[in-house]
Amino acid sequence: MASRTTDGVTAICRALQAAGIDCVFGVPGTQNVLLFDGFRRTGIRTVLASHELAAAFMANGFFRATGRLAALATIPGPGFTYALTGIAEARLDSAGLLFLVGKASTAPGRRFQLQAIDQRAIAAPLVKATFVLDAPDQVARIIAEACATATSGEPGPVMVELDFDALSGGGAVVDPPTTPVRVVARDAKLDQLKELFERAERPVFLLGQGALASGSRLQSIAEAHTIPILTTPSARGIVAEDHPLVLGFDTLRGRTIELNRLLDQSDLVLGLGCKLTHNGSAGFELRLPPDRLVHVDASAEVLGANYEPLLGLVAPVEDVMADLETPRAATQWHLDELQALSRLLRSAPDDAPEPVYHGPASMKPAEFFAWLRALLPRDAIVVTDSGLHQILTRRHFDALAPRGLIFPSDFQSMGFGLPAAIGAKLGVPERMVVALIGDGGFLMSGLELLTARREGVRLVVFVFNDGQLNQIRLQQWANFGHAHAVELLNPNYSALCEGLGVRYLKFGEEGPTDMRDALEGDTPVLIEVVVSDSFAMRAVPAIARAKEVARDAIGPGLRDWLKSRLKGRKPA
C-alpha cells in the first residue's frame, strides 16, 4: 500500500473525500483553524453556520434529503456542547453524521484547564461510537471506520475527537482504504420470509426509512398483488401518498383505532426498515401481534425492542427484495375497501381544534395545505420545525416523493426547520425545498436566512405568525384553563427581511404569480402567514374551566362515590 509524507489534517480531508464526504457544516475557532484550512486547501465545501447547533441541524437535513454523510466540525468546549442537541436529534432521527470535534489542549500536571471537559463521556449516550485521532498514521483507518459506523445498521452520528497537537506534525500517512464489497450470505430466515410472504392472504407492508432505497421495487410488488402500504411518519413519501395502495396513516391524524382494525384482519405484517419508535408506532398503540410480524432491519438492536416478531432478520431491506419479488397469488384485499379506509385514515380527528390562516380569505389548515400541495412540484421537499405547524402539516399535507417530508421526529427540537432545510437544499439542489416553521422556531434560528443568502441557497420559508408557542398554549388551556409564559414578541418580518436582504411576501396580499415567482426565484424568500384562533380553539379554556368548577362543586366525596358506582355498574 502506497504511503507519502504529509500532515495529519490533509490526511483527514483526503479520508473524508475518499468516504464521499464533500460538505462540512460548522464554525471555525482557535482550536480547529488547521482543520478549516485543510478544507480550503483540499476543496471540501465548508458552510459556516451562525452557531454549532444550526450546523448540526444542517448536517441532519443533508443526510435526510440525500442518504449521504456530511461532516460537522466544531471546537471543543462550547462548540461541542452547543452542537449536542443537534447530535441527539440525529441519533433519534436515524440520521448519519460525522462529528469532528477538537480535543481540549492539556498541559501535564495542570488542573482547571481551558474548556477541559470529558467530551467522549458526555457524547457517548448520544452517538453510535466515539473515536480519538491522535496520530497521522491512524487517520485513514479511523475516518473510514467512523464513516462506516455512521451509515451501517441504523444510521446515526459518530464522533471523532481530534488531537490537533499530535496531528499537526508530519508523519507517514496511509492512503484511505477502498470500500469493501459487501457479500450477502444466504440465510435460512430468508427462505422462511419467502415462504411466509407467498402463503399470506392479507399481507401488509409497513415501511420505514430503512426501506427508502427499495421504494420503487416495493411499490411494484404491492401493485402486482394488491398489498396495502403503511409507512412510519419519517418515511412518508417512500411511495407517493396519492397512490391507491398507500393508506396515508400518520400518528398525528389520530386514526390508530381504525388502522388497528386493518392490522387485526391481516395475517402478515412486513416491517421493513422501521425502528418502531414512540412516534413511529403512535405512542406504541399500534397493534403488531407477534404471530404475524416479520421485522427486517439492518440493526439488530431494533428487532424485538418494542414489538416481538414472529421472524426477525438483521439485513438491509434491499437484501431481501429478491425474496419478495418471486411470483405469488393475489391477496384477498379489495382495492375499494382499502381506498375507503385510506380516506378515513387521512381525515383529521373530529375533536382537534385548529387555528385559522389568513390569506385571500380565512382558511382552515386543510385548505391551506391543499393549496400548498397544488402549488409545489411532486418531488418538492417540505421541512418543518417542531410545534403546532408540524402537527397540521403531517395531518393535512401529502408527501408525493421519497424524502419529501422531513421533520424532527423522536427528539422534536425547536429551531430544527430552517437550518435542516438549508442542509437539504445543499444536498439536493435540483429539488425544491420549502421550510414551514412556527414563529417560536424562527426566533431560535431565523438568522440562518443569512447563511442561506451567503451560500446562494434557493429556499422558500413560510413563517406561521400567531404570536404564541401555540401547541403548548393549547395544552395549558386544555389542562388548566389558562396559559402562561407562551406569548411571543415577534419582529416586523417585512423590516427584518429588508435588513437581511431577503425577499418578503405576506400570504394573502400577493397574487398567484408572485407566489410562483417566489418558489422559482434565485434568493431566499420569507412568506409570513398570519394565524389566529378559531372558535373551537377559544372554547378550549372555557370548557376546561367549566370542568374544574364542576369538579369543585361536586366535591371529592361525591366524586369518589360516583366513580365507585360507575366502576361497579353492570353493562346494559
Side-chain angles (χ1 to χ4, degrees):
M1 186 178 293
S3 64
R4 55 185 172 272
T5 301
T6 185
D7 66 276
V9 168
T10 301
I12 290 171
C13 296
R14 289 175 178 161
L16 294 177
Q17 291 171 321
I21 294 178
D22 55 12
C23 189
V24 175
F25 301 94
V27 180
T30 299
Q31 300 90 330
N32 65 4
V33 289
L34 286 171
L35 182 62
F36 275 76
D37 188 61
F39 297 151
R40 177 192 64 80
R41 287 185 284 107
T42 54
I44 294 176
R45 180 166 189 174
T46 312
V47 179
L48 169 65
S50 298
H51 47 72
E52 291 85 355
L53 175 57
F57 288 151
M58 289 177 190
N60 185 319
F62 185 98
F63 182 87
R64 296 278 296 277
T66 66
R68 295 187 290 112
L69 285 181
L72 166 68
T74 79
I75 63 168
F80 163 79
T81 55
Y82 211 175
L84 287 179
T85 294
I87 296 299
E89 184 69 62
R91 184 71 171 112
L92 271 66
D93 286 350
S94 302
L97 182 158
L98 184 66
F99 183 19
L100 303 173
V101 58
K103 181 181 179 182
S105 297
T106 58
R110 301 294 183 181
R111 298 175 62 196
F112 316 124
Q113 300 193 50
L114 179 67
Q115 299 175 343
I117 57 176
D118 192 341
Q119 295 182 151
R120 295 181 67 198
I122 294 169
L126 308 180
V127 298
K128 293 184 69 177
T130 63
F131 298 85
V132 175
L133 247 182
D134 56 8
D137 60 357
Q138 298 176 357
V139 167
R141 177 184 61 81
I142 286 181
I143 293 296
E145 186 177 348
C147 291
T149 302
T151 54
S152 62
E154 179 196 350
V158 170
M159 188 179 92
V160 179
E161 193 176 51
L162 307 172
D163 186 339
F164 288 111
D165 291 337
L167 291 169
S168 58
V173 179
V174 181
D175 285 335
T178 57
T179 303
V181 177
R182 182 164 58 89
V183 179
V184 181
R186 190 69 207 174
D187 191 299
K189 288 188 175 182
L190 291 174
D191 295 324
Q192 191 176 352
L193 166 66
K194 181 178 178 181
E195 180 183 351
L196 287 168
F197 180 63
E198 290 177 348
R199 199 171 62 221
E201 296 182 345
R202 289 180 178 267
V204 173
F205 283 157
L206 174 55
L207 311 181
Q209 288 188 80
L212 278 165
S214 304
S216 60
R217 296 173 71 181
L218 288 164
Q219 176 179 332
S220 298
I221 296 169
E223 290 170 343
H225 308 299
T226 313
I227 300 173
I229 298 172
L230 295 167
T231 72
T232 60
S234 55
R236 286 180 53 184
I238 187 171
V239 177
E241 293 188 313
D242 58 357
H243 190 284
L245 289 170
V246 175
L247 297 182
F249 174 77
D250 189 294
T251 56
L252 294 182
R253 285 171 170 160
R255 299 292 183 179
T256 310
I257 292 174
E258 291 83 354
L259 177 59
N260 280 334
R261 290 179 186 143
L262 172 87
L263 296 173
D264 288 342
Q265 296 174 40
S266 71
D267 57 1
L268 180 67
V269 179
L270 275 171
L272 302 174
C274 48
K275 194 174 176 183
L276 297 176
T277 64
H278 177 278
N279 279 352
S281 63
F284 309 116
E285 291 183 4
L286 278 188
R287 283 203 299 266
L288 300 172
D291 65 346
R292 71 198 67 176
L293 175 62
V294 171
H295 197 174
V296 179
D297 198 273
S299 171
E301 184 182 3
V302 166
L303 303 181
N306 291 317
Y307 292 89
E308 190 65 32
L310 171 68
L311 178 67
L313 290 87
V314 180
V317 173
E318 52 266 33
D319 288 358
V320 305
M321 291 307 302
D323 296 277
L324 302 179
E325 290 173 323
T326 55
R328 55 151 293 149
T331 69
Q332 298 300 309
W333 297 113
H334 298 290
L335 187 58
D336 54 347
E337 294 176 353
L338 294 176
Q339 290 179 319
L341 175 61
S342 180
R343 287 190 293 270
L344 178 60
L345 294 177
R346 292 171 190 271
S347 60
D350 299 327
D351 59 348
E354 297 184 343
V356 174
Y357 294 164
H358 297 284
S362 294
M363 304 173 71
K364 295 179 179 179
E367 296 170 319
F368 172 84
F369 286 104
W371 167 84
L372 182 64
R373 179 67 274 174
L375 189 67
L376 299 179
R378 291 181 65 86
D379 70 343
I381 297 175
V382 169
V383 185
T384 83
D385 211 280
S386 180
L388 181 59
H389 71 281
Q390 184 197 125
I391 293 173
L392 298 172
T393 303
R394 289 170 57 183
R395 188 177 289 166
H396 297 295
F397 186 80
D398 282 342
L400 302 182
R403 307 182 188 274
L405 181 59
I406 296 173
F407 54 86
S409 183
D410 278 78
F411 207 61
Q412 285 292 333
S413 305
M414 283 185 68
F416 171 91
L418 178 54
I422 293 171
K425 184 64 176 178
L426 288 170
V428 282
E430 69 279 7
R431 294 177 70 174
M432 181 179 293
V433 177
V434 175
L436 306 180
I437 60 178
D439 44 6
F442 182 82
L443 291 176
M444 293 184 177
S445 61
L447 289 182
E448 294 307 324
L449 283 170
L450 288 174
T451 303
R453 182 182 165 205
R454 185 191 64 241
E455 296 295 324
V457 176
R458 297 171 53 186
L459 191 68
V460 180
V461 181
F462 285 85
V463 177
F464 297 94
N465 180 7
D466 53 32
Q468 310 284 337
L469 299 175
N470 217 346
Q471 178 62 15
I472 306 306
R473 182 178 65 141
L474 278 171
Q475 292 173 359
Q476 291 177 336
W477 274 356
N479 290 328
F480 316 117
H482 302 279
H484 179 67
V486 291
E487 186 173 347
L488 304 174
L489 179 61
N490 284 332
N492 180 317
Y493 290 103
S494 175
L496 178 64
C497 287
E498 182 178 0
L500 298 177
V502 173
R503 186 180 177 190
Y504 168 84
L505 296 174
K506 191 168 187 178
F507 182 66
E509 294 183 1
E510 312 293 341
T513 301
D514 296 300
M515 288 294 177
R516 281 192 289 271
D517 289 346
L519 294 177
E520 298 171 0
D522 294 328
T523 58
V525 179
L526 185 147
I527 302 174
E528 179 185 1
V529 181
V530 176
V531 181
S532 66
D533 295 341
S534 64
F535 175 79
M537 289 177 66
R538 291 193 294 270
V540 171
I543 292 171
R545 288 194 292 269
K547 288 180 178 178
E548 184 67 27
V549 170
R551 283 195 296 267
D552 291 343
I554 292 173
L558 183 54
R559 282 204 306 272
D560 292 342
W561 181 83
L562 286 171
K563 287 180 181 178
S564 66
R565 294 288 294 175
L566 290 171
K567 185 176 181 180
R569 186 177 60 187
K570 294 181 180 180

